[in-house]
Amino acid sequence: MMAAMDLLDVMRKRLEEAGIADVFTTMPDGRRYPESVTLAFGIPDRKTVYYDGTTTSPMRVTVIVKRLSEFNAMATAQEAEAVLKSSPLDSENGSYDLDSVETTDPQPLPWDESGRYVWAFDVYIDTRKDFF
């Protein structure tokens, strides 16, 4: 039986190891966590199957950083982007083989009505599975 994909858990662990606190894989309660980092899968791209049976699956993970200060939102987003771009994001349970990781630059999002500042960026990840 194949293990559940642990990509978001691996990403959360790398951010926490870098000292970034309150990292979640679902949007947390804003009253309980006024500042947080959320990791969420975006709409997946189409997987590619090659003649040798190898399958590549491109994925997008959006990282959303919410802070009370705009400077802290920007700084934490930049730090998180640097961590995820440079840290090993290999599966810890063997559920995927990492092929490549690319990130976009963090950008502000002007939609948070709670008075918090939100910065976000995307992480594009290609995973590979060899069947033969």
Side-chain angles (χ1 to χ4, degrees):
M1 183 171 175
M2 183 186 243
M5 181 171 277
D6 65 338
L7 177 61
L8 293 182
D9 293 328
V10 169
M11 293 174 76
R12 179 178 58 208
K13 186 175 180 181
R14 295 300 168 259
L15 292 173
E16 289 172 346
E17 289 169 350
I20 299 173
D22 296 326
V23 180
F24 299 90
T25 56
T26 59
M27 194 67 80
D29 179 353
R31 294 167 298 198
R32 198 163 162 213
Y33 296 97
E35 296 189 324
S36 64
V37 176
T38 302
L39 307 172
F41 278 116
I43 297 170
D45 282 338
R46 188 175 221 159
K47 71 179 180 178
T48 303
V49 180
Y50 296 97
Y51 288 112
D52 65 356
T54 302
T55 302
T56 59
S57 299
M59 291 179 278
R60 178 175 54 94
V61 175
T62 300
V63 180
I64 303 166
V65 178
K66 261 194 335 187
R67 296 288 186 255
L68 297 171
S69 151
E70 184 170 20
F71 177 80
N72 288 342
M74 177 190 66
T76 302
Q78 289 173 337
E79 179 184 5
E81 187 264 340
V83 167
L84 294 175
K85 182 168 50 175
S86 63
S87 297
L89 299 178
D90 300 299
S91 175
E92 294 183 355
N93 68 7
S95 61
Y96 62 90
D97 293 318
L98 192 65
D99 215 17
S100 67
V101 176
E102 292 180 36
T103 59
T104 62
D105 292 332
Q107 308 239 343
L109 297 179
W111 53 264
D112 187 61
E113 297 174 5
S114 68
R116 292 178 183 87
Y117 293 91
V118 180
W119 279 62
F121 64 94
D122 289 321
V123 181
Y124 292 95
I125 297 166
D126 283 330
T127 61
R128 174 180 25 83
K129 205 66 174 162
D130 298 323
F131 291 102
F132 300 109

